Amino acid sequence: MTERPRVAFFDFTGCEGDQLQVVNLEERLFDLVEVVEVVSFREAMSEHSDDYEIAFIEGSVVTAHDEERLAGIRENADVVVALGSCAAFGGINAIRNDQDFETVTERVYGDDADMIEANPEARPIESVVEVDATIPGCPIDREEFVQVVTGLIRGVEPTLPNHPVCVECKLEENECAFHRDEICLGPVTRGGCGADCVGEGTHCWGCRGMVDTPSEDAYTAVLEEHGLDAEEIVEQYQLYWGWQRPERATQEEAQ
């Protein structure tokens, strides 16, 4: 990369909340632009350039046009970063993946459903192109974004935490959501968020995706202790894992 790498942001199917988190860095953005040159960022500037080295991509892939556009971005970029849950593993968009597509489109668009040209499934960008780094979350954590950018500039490959949110709950001395009679996905969700949701009095919704090796037996034990069924509860709260869980099941069957 150049000494001051050129950076571009792209949005696919998503709410653009992750890019908004970058804008919300506010005065720290001035520090950021001293080390990178932002050449395309629709949320923050009108200029656009196809000459970039690092591409941050938000949103999931839902159309054939998305696939073509994504391939073009990958061809231009030296580094592609999946920004947020939708880009990383399908996110909320993938909640429709296990539903009948025709029924879903009619429910949302009514008489205009026939005009919708979309794939039956919402997919992460890595299902189409190679991804070099991932920043999960809904929305992303601003500090984690800064850490990833800093690492990329220094030539250090960013790594994600691979411990469950429960670890961070203990470090923060949070009251366990299960003890508040809440249903929580913290035991199998990737940490790195500081367990903010549980700390604020709610529970973990799984927005950072599943840890690579979730302790599913331990999760089952916790649920059974509170009179709950693991599969039933995970299905009930499959807000983010519509792509990730079936993919993991397929991989496990192949092994």
Side-chain angles (χ1 to χ4, degrees):
M1 291 188 189
T2 58
E3 185 173 335
R4 187 163 170 254
R6 295 177 297 278
V7 170
F9 291 82
F10 299 92
D11 47 271
F12 283 73
T13 300
C15 68
E16 301 186 19
D18 301 305
Q19 293 177 79
L20 186 59
Q21 280 290 80
V22 178
V23 175
N24 285 342
L25 285 168
E26 298 177 344
E27 67 272 6
R28 296 189 66 187
L29 277 174
F30 294 107
D31 298 328
L32 187 64
V33 297
E34 287 183 1
V35 294
V36 298
E37 179 184 0
V38 181
V39 300
S40 185
F41 192 0
R42 189 171 61 83
E43 287 278 351
M45 57 192 287
S46 57
E47 295 83 358
H48 170 76
S49 172
D50 289 323
D51 182 15
Y52 48 82
E53 294 163 283
I54 303 176
F56 289 96
I57 300 175
E58 178 179 8
S60 59
V61 181
V62 301
T63 68
H65 174 68
D66 285 347
E67 297 176 20
E68 295 173 4
R69 181 176 171 229
L70 191 55
I73 294 171
R74 174 72 268 187
E75 186 175 351
N76 280 350
D78 295 329
V79 174
V80 167
V81 182
L83 191 66
S85 299
C86 291
F89 49 86
I92 288 179
N93 292 325
I95 198 172
R96 64 177 170 85
N97 285 8
D98 64 346
Q99 303 176 56
D100 178 71
F101 181 64
E102 183 176 343
T103 301
V104 170
T105 53
E106 288 180 353
R107 182 190 308 146
V108 176
Y109 299 102
D111 295 338
D112 296 326
D114 292 340
M115 300 174 60
I116 304 303
E117 296 182 1
N119 299 329
E121 292 185 323
R123 296 146 53 200
I125 65 172
E126 70 173 0
S127 68
V128 179
V129 298
E130 181 180 356
V131 172
D132 302 294
T134 299
I135 308 176
C138 184
I140 61 167
D141 180 86
R142 286 173 285 180
E143 293 303 318
E144 189 168 32
F145 173 80
V146 172
Q147 293 170 12
V148 170
V149 172
T150 303
L152 291 173
I153 293 171
R154 293 176 177 174
V156 178
E157 183 177 351
T159 58
L160 291 174
N162 194 33
H163 58 258
V165 172
C166 289
V167 172
E168 294 171 7
C169 265
K170 292 182 181 297
L171 291 173
E172 296 296 327
E173 299 183 350
N174 291 332
E175 179 186 11
C176 179
F178 286 106
H179 295 164
R180 300 195 302 257
D181 295 325
E182 294 270 359
I183 296 167
C184 185
L185 295 180
V188 292
T189 297
R190 186 184 301 278
C193 58
D196 287 342
C197 291
V198 181
E200 291 295 326
T202 180
H203 58 271
C204 175
W205 300 84
C207 79
R208 289 179 60 86
M210 300 176 73
V211 291
D212 292 339
T213 53
S215 181
E216 294 175 350
D217 291 340
Y219 189 31
T220 300
V222 171
L223 292 175
E224 289 178 348
E225 179 184 343
H226 292 81
L228 303 169
D229 176 80
E231 186 61 27
E232 179 181 270
I233 297 306
V234 173
E235 287 290 343
Q236 182 178 350
Y237 282 92
Q238 190 172 285
L239 186 61
Y240 291 94
W241 300 350
W243 171 268
Q244 195 174 29
R245 286 189 67 225
E247 281 294 297
R248 175 162 291 180
T250 300
Q251 294 172 5
E252 290 176 351
E253 290 176 2
Q255 294 174 356

